[in-house]
Amino acid sequence: MPSERTMTNIVTIIGRGVPSNYEISVDGDIEPVEADSLEKTTVVSEHAVEGTIETGVHRFQFSGELANVHVLDWNGTPASESPSTPEIHIDYGVPGRKNNS
């Protein structure tokens, strides 16, 4: 049975106009901040999200620590080697996020 857990951390993915894939995992729980803004290709499980982004912003709230971020551009080039991959921003300790599930 899930307990009430505070999700005070935010990860933001910002598209750069090129179709890109991302996978993010955490050692706590993760969920979209605004599910309606995500493309249908985004898959969310209890501890991870994966999806695609071209433009716009995908934002997720999570508890615990970030475990892994993997980002590839349209042709499979990783973030460190491609200027086209999305920007990733992580904010810890953002007040007022609660998960009541």
Side-chain angles (χ1 to χ4, degrees):
M1 181 179 277
S3 61
E4 184 176 297
R5 178 168 246 194
T6 302
M7 296 208 183
T8 59
N9 308 318
I10 302 288
V11 60
T12 304
I13 301 107
I14 303 168
R16 291 190 177 171
V18 175
S20 301
N21 298 316
Y22 63 86
E23 297 175 15
I24 298 168
S25 59
V26 299
D27 66 2
D29 296 323
I30 189 165
E31 66 184 25
V33 172
E34 295 175 8
D36 292 341
S37 69
L38 299 180
E39 297 176 16
K40 294 178 194 247
T41 55
T42 302
V43 176
V44 180
S45 67
E46 187 175 345
H47 303 290
V49 296
E50 60 182 83
T52 61
I53 188 168
E54 183 171 349
T55 59
V57 174
H58 293 181
R59 187 170 285 124
F60 301 90
Q61 60 190 10
F62 66 97
S63 61
E65 296 290 324
L66 191 66
N68 187 36
V69 175
H70 188 69
V71 185
L72 301 172
D73 70 9
W74 63 276
N75 64 2
T77 305
S80 60
E81 299 172 18
S82 172
S84 300
T85 57
E87 288 185 46
I88 307 290
H89 295 274
I90 298 131
D91 296 303
Y92 286 97
V94 179
R97 303 278 182 201
K98 280 238 174 188
N99 175 14
N100 294 317
S101 56

